Amino acid sequence: MGYHRHNCLQLRGLPSRIMLITAMIFLGLMPIPMTAAIAADSAQVNHNEPLDLMTAPTAPGLVLLGTAPSSIEHPGNPTDLALTILNRIDNLNVLPEDMAVEFAPYWLFFGRKITYSEFESNNLGANFLQTLSFSIATSSRAETSPDTNSTSLGFGLRFSILRGEIDKGFEGYADRLDTLYKYLDTLAKDFDSVLRERSDGDPVLLALKGLMMTAGAEQQTWVEKSIGLRREAIKNELEREFRANKESDIERVRETISGMKLRRIGWKLDCAAGLVVDFPQRQFDKGDLSRYGAWLTGGYELGNLSAIWLVRLLGNQNKPDESSFDLGGRFNLSGWRQFSIAAESVYRKYHKHPVDKEQWRLAFLFDYAIARNKTLSFTFGRDFEGNKSGNLLSMVNLILGFGSDRPVTNR
């Protein structure tokens, strides 16, 4: 009796083993994405995009050094890091001696935690944190030092009090991209019914469920794992089918956003300050504070046209009679593909200068966006009087922006 019962168990278990082996072979031949790969491929969606933020800014340190191509900065959107390289057109046969680096600490250290609602906000706190930037500039031809063998360093900071509202064109694409992202994020809920229907009619799952009824205790663990793998494979295959309908749209919108120059329209107001330290004979121990200043730059931007005004106070530690007050204006016109042009004029009034009571600066600037966050600028015009190199302005300015990932959806 015992022998017969043992044989029955063996005979009944043999088909179960054959079915189990067949199912495992079939499953092994199928491409089954693992959970980690799924998360990397579809579940984790990046809501930051690299944007074109560059508006050819001028580091405050360069303004104080007297070597800036523009005396009136256009309020803009800072990248994480920006490098400015200057050269005068009559001296292009040597390496540039004037350059500046500027960085925005909040974006460098906390950029990934900023949401789109914080990014688009125009309240004072968000404006200050997201636009606060520090810069250091160097020049061997600074107008603040009479020593031709000296080097001057300019240190500056700036931030926005008002930075305007993000233009509607960008918001429209951001909203569309947000909708597509939400589609992916809620995809599981959308196809639950289809997944259930496909799973109920899947022949492999039906075979494995039937096998579960006849499998012994030792085989049930393997059958359960096979059922889990098969269900995961059905789910991921269905998810790919659903995503295929939206993926091309997502990539197209992302490329459009990345190719747009992000602009903020409306009222703008920036605050900047800085100082200059001269190093005679290029000796660090001889460093001496020579010049300092603070200024406000504000205006209104509408579409491709903007009008900006400047109010600036400058002090001179070594020559108090050269302390001055600046008042100026600037007009910008953009929209011709990668080109933009600007004209600016600055009136300077000295407090106690024995000879020069008033001076003027008039400059025309031509900017060309050679790539995203890469701008080449040409400046021509008339500088303030009294500079060692004369008052003819003819400069080339290359600005390279790095780290421009910004949130583009409401998440």
Side-chain angles (χ1 to χ4, degrees), residues 245-263:
N245 297 327
K246 296 294 180 182
E247 197 162 300
S248 59
D249 292 339
I250 291 173
E251 289 304 315
R252 184 162 52 251
V253 176
R254 290 178 66 179
E255 290 176 1
T256 300
I257 287 179
S258 296
M260 296 175 66
K261 182 178 288 292
L262 178 64
R263 294 185 305 178

Side-chain angles (χ1 to χ4, degrees), residues 379-395:
T379 303
F380 302 94
R382 177 188 188 279
D383 205 351
F384 295 114
E385 299 286 350
N387 296 336
K388 299 191 303 293
S389 56
N391 67 341
L392 174 66
L393 274 175
S394 55
M395 305 179 69

Side-chain angles (χ1 to χ4, degrees), residues 172-392:
Y173 281 103
D175 290 342
R176 182 179 173 189
L177 189 60
D178 185 52
T179 301
L180 295 172
Y181 279 156
K182 286 179 179 177
Y183 174 86
L184 294 184
D185 295 337
T186 60
L187 192 58
K189 298 178 182 178
D190 295 338
F191 65 39
D192 273 351
S193 59
V194 180
L195 176 62
R196 190 180 306 109
E197 180 181 350
R198 185 171 294 189
S199 298
D200 290 343
D202 183 69
V204 177
L205 272 182
L206 292 174
L208 289 171
K209 290 177 180 178
L211 184 61
M212 192 72 174
M213 303 294 294
T214 59
E218 298 178 355
Q219 302 156 350
Q220 285 186 354
T221 301
W222 292 99
V223 176
E224 289 176 355
K225 290 182 178 180
S226 300
I227 291 175
L229 287 172
R230 180 56 184 168
R231 283 175 173 168
E232 192 71 21
I234 294 172
K235 177 181 177 181
N236 295 328
E237 181 63 29
L238 183 61
E239 186 179 61
R240 284 193 294 272
E241 293 177 11
F242 272 66
R243 289 182 71 240
N245 297 327
K246 296 294 180 182
E247 197 162 300
S248 59
D249 292 339
I250 291 173
E251 289 304 315
R252 184 162 52 251
V253 176
R254 290 178 66 179
E255 290 176 1
T256 300
I257 287 179
S258 296
M260 296 175 66
K261 182 178 288 292
L262 178 64
R263 294 185 305 178
R264 292 179 179 269
I265 60 176
W267 291 104
K268 300 184 177 183
L269 181 61
D270 278 12
C271 180
L275 55 87
V276 172
V277 179
D278 292 333
F279 296 90
Q281 288 82 49
R282 299 181 180 177
Q283 297 294 319
F284 183 82
D285 295 340
K286 296 182 180 181
D288 180 44
L289 173 65
S290 64
R291 199 173 185 184
Y292 51 88
W295 57 95
L296 292 174
T297 307
Y300 191 85
E301 184 165 350
L302 178 62
N304 298 324
L305 181 66
S306 63
I308 305 167
W309 51 263
L310 165 75
V311 176
R312 180 164 54 215
L313 291 175
L314 298 174
N316 196 310
Q317 183 76 11
N318 300 325
K319 298 179 180 179
D321 57 344
E322 291 190 1
S323 298
S324 62
F325 167 77
D326 290 355
L327 184 65
R330 170 172 172 158
F331 292 93
N332 290 75
L333 182 61
S334 59
W336 296 324
R337 298 193 179 186
Q338 294 94 344
F339 285 98
S340 65
I341 61 175
E344 67 177 31
S345 179
V346 180
Y347 165 76
R348 173 166 292 175
K349 173 69 174 179
Y350 289 98
H351 299 317
K352 299 179 181 179
H353 199 283
V355 179
D356 294 319
K357 299 295 184 181
E358 300 175 345
Q359 290 188 7
W360 285 90
R361 183 184 196 270
L362 179 64
F364 298 92
L365 300 95
F366 304 85
D367 297 336
Y368 179 76
I370 55 180
R372 186 174 63 233
N373 294 308
K374 310 289 185 293
T375 300
L376 189 62
S377 176
F378 303 89
T379 303
F380 302 94
R382 177 188 188 279
D383 205 351
F384 295 114
E385 299 286 350
N387 296 336
K388 299 191 303 293
S389 56
N391 67 341
L392 174 66

Side-chain angles (χ1 to χ4, degrees), residues 31 82 105 110 114 128 156 165 179 215 267 286 391 409:
F110 306 104
I114 299 175
F128 175 77
E165 306 291 340
T179 301
W267 291 104
K286 296 182 180 181
N391 67 341
T409 73

Side-chain angles (χ1 to χ4, degrees), residues 62-84:
L62 288 174
V63 174
L64 292 173
L65 287 170
T67 59
S70 171
S71 187
I72 304 177
E73 307 103 307
H74 187 289
N77 308 285
T79 57
D80 295 2
L81 182 71
L83 176 65
T84 302

